[in-house]
Amino acid sequence: MLVQEPDGTNDDDKLLQEDTPVVITVASSSFELQRGGSTIPHLLEVNDTLEFVEVAGSLPTGISTGTTYHVVSTDLTTTVFRVAATQGGTAITLSGTATGTYAVRGAAFGILAEQRFYSDTELAEGGIVHPYAPYERLLGDVYRVETTFKSPDGITAGEITALTAQLDYPDVIEKQNDVAISSAGTEVSLNRTFRSVESVQITALQTGGSTAVTAVVTAKSTTSVTISCLDASGSGVTGLVDITVIGY
């Protein structure tokens, strides 16, 4: 899963959703986080841990990828932080250059390692359907849902003291095959109980000698859907359709 760089582009698959773009200043051996090209409060505390990611280019001397670093109190402000190799250790002094693109990741940035997400390749292989593909049926599995909360000014961190989340996925599905449609249109009664009908898919149009070239849904409710078959001129004609109704 890619996350956008501050310039709005996706650099490459090294950068994950839990990664936060970081600016490295070698002269002061310090770090600042960015979003949309602007410095943001890092909200880190002393002893928080993190790792650095090379998105493009190389990290300066003193830090490396795949290593856990600890935030220290040295030069710590709301936007600037420094790190040590060990908890409570001496702040690392950087050298060399930092002209590449970098990011940081870690539990302090709010994404748990246990959370699972799927690559485009996995989603394309047929075993798993992305949770927000419109009205697709989900298989039994573990899915990731991500919610972002923004403070009123977009800067000051708020505090969530209680949270209730309710996920209601459209998982009521009814299929009817070989439904005969009259030239005036036909109201098809639904057999399942729906609270809301979100999608009506006409999965097949069988003309059976009819001049119908398309079928359309003209009305829907929680108890029925109305379908018309049309010929090339847009006039109503008879036809035979298969339908799939999906909702709550």
Side-chain angles (χ1 to χ4, degrees):
M1 301 283 280
L2 299 180
V3 68
Q4 283 191 331
E5 280 292 294
D7 64 359
T9 61
N10 289 324
D11 200 302
D12 62 20
D13 59 2
K14 294 179 182 177
L15 198 59
L16 305 176
Q17 282 192 331
E18 57 263 49
D19 299 337
T20 303
V22 63
V23 172
I24 302 175
T25 304
V26 174
S28 59
S29 298
S30 63
F31 310 88
E32 295 175 284
L33 303 185
Q34 287 203 339
R35 274 288 182 259
S38 300
T39 299
I40 61 173
H42 52 68
L43 306 180
L44 294 169
E45 298 179 356
V46 175
N47 296 328
D48 279 345
T49 59
L50 54 87
E51 295 180 19
F52 293 97
V53 181
E54 294 175 341
V55 180
S58 300
L59 289 166
T61 302
I63 56 175
S64 60
T65 60
T67 301
T68 299
Y69 296 94
H70 304 258
V71 176
V72 293
S73 60
T74 305
D75 302 327
L76 184 65
T77 69
T78 58
T79 57
V80 176
F81 65 97
R82 295 182 65 183
V83 297
T86 59
Q87 182 173 320
T90 302
I92 293 172
T93 299
L94 305 177
S95 61
T97 59
T99 56
T101 303
Y102 314 106
V104 288
R105 67 175 60 150
F109 298 101
I111 300 294
L112 301 178
E114 293 81 9
Q115 287 182 310
R116 179 177 179 185
F117 58 97
Y118 303 104
S119 68
D120 293 338
T121 300
E122 288 176 309
L123 296 176
E125 289 175 349
I128 300 167
V129 177
H130 191 282
Y132 294 114
Y135 313 125
E136 295 282 356
R137 179 188 286 278
L138 296 180
L139 302 179
D141 210 318
V142 178
Y143 296 91
R144 167 176 173 166
V145 177
E146 180 175 309
T147 302
T148 300
F149 296 90
K150 184 177 181 180
S151 59
D153 60 7
I155 298 176
T156 306
E159 180 180 356
I160 299 175
T161 57
L163 177 66
T164 300
Q166 179 176 329
L167 302 180
D168 192 1
Y169 191 85
D171 57 356
V172 181
I173 301 175
E174 179 173 334
K175 296 182 179 181
Q176 295 190 31
N177 297 328
D178 302 328
V179 179
I181 305 300
S182 71
S183 59
T186 297
E187 182 179 2
V188 182
S189 296
L190 300 177
N191 300 314
R192 300 200 62 180
T193 300
F194 286 87
R195 290 185 292 109
S196 174
V197 171
E198 299 298 323
S199 172
V200 180
Q201 302 171 4
I202 300 173
T203 57
L205 171 62
Q206 307 168 50
T207 58
S210 167
T211 57
V213 295
T214 188
V216 296
V217 178
T218 59
K220 63 182 181 179
S221 70
T222 56
T223 58
S224 67
V225 296
T226 302
I227 298 173
S228 295
C229 292
L230 307 176
D231 62 14
S233 65
S235 299
V237 294
T238 60
L240 204 63
V241 299
D242 295 346
I243 63 172
T244 300
V245 182
I246 302 176
Y248 299 94

